[in-house]
Amino acid sequence: MSAPIVEGAKVMSKGQITLPKDIREKLGVEAGDRLVLIWDNGQVVLMNAAVFALKKVQDAMKGAAEEAGFDSEEDIAEYISDLRAESRNR
């Protein structure tokens, strides 16, 4: 496990902060990207909004593949290939 990055950030008069470069790199964000701030038990968790959205979708879909009869990634890849072939034949 890697050591946590501990950085300070100053809150400006309009509530803005500048994220240190190391944190931006770890989050995978650049100028104009969106972030999600989650209040959790007295702490704030900061996440890349795209990653947060993907995690929400994954949580919502948990178990759906098994219910649909997919047992492996190969089953899903084959299903997608079949759908693509079907759409080309239309």
Side-chain angles (χ1 to χ4, degrees):
M1 175 183 260
S2 63
I5 298 172
V6 178
E7 295 278 356
K10 183 177 180 180
V11 179
M12 306 307 280
S13 63
K14 293 184 180 182
Q16 297 171 327
I17 63 170
T18 299
L19 294 176
K21 182 179 179 185
D22 289 351
I23 300 295
R24 292 191 311 268
E25 289 174 351
K26 292 286 185 188
L27 286 171
V29 297
E30 297 176 355
D33 288 347
R34 304 292 254 161
L35 300 173
V36 174
L37 288 90
I38 304 159
W39 179 258
D40 183 24
N41 208 18
Q43 297 181 357
V44 174
V45 177
L46 180 67
M47 293 183 71
N48 180 320
V51 172
F52 177 75
L54 179 60
K55 286 182 183 285
K56 295 298 275 184
V57 169
Q58 287 173 331
D59 288 347
M61 297 299 296
K62 192 168 245 155
E66 292 84 8
E67 289 177 20
F70 297 118
D71 295 320
S72 67
E73 288 185 29
E74 290 80 19
D75 289 345
I76 295 170
E78 182 179 339
Y79 177 74
I80 291 169
S81 293
D82 291 347
L83 286 176
R84 288 179 177 158
E86 184 180 305
S87 70
R88 282 191 295 264
N89 294 330
R90 290 185 192 175

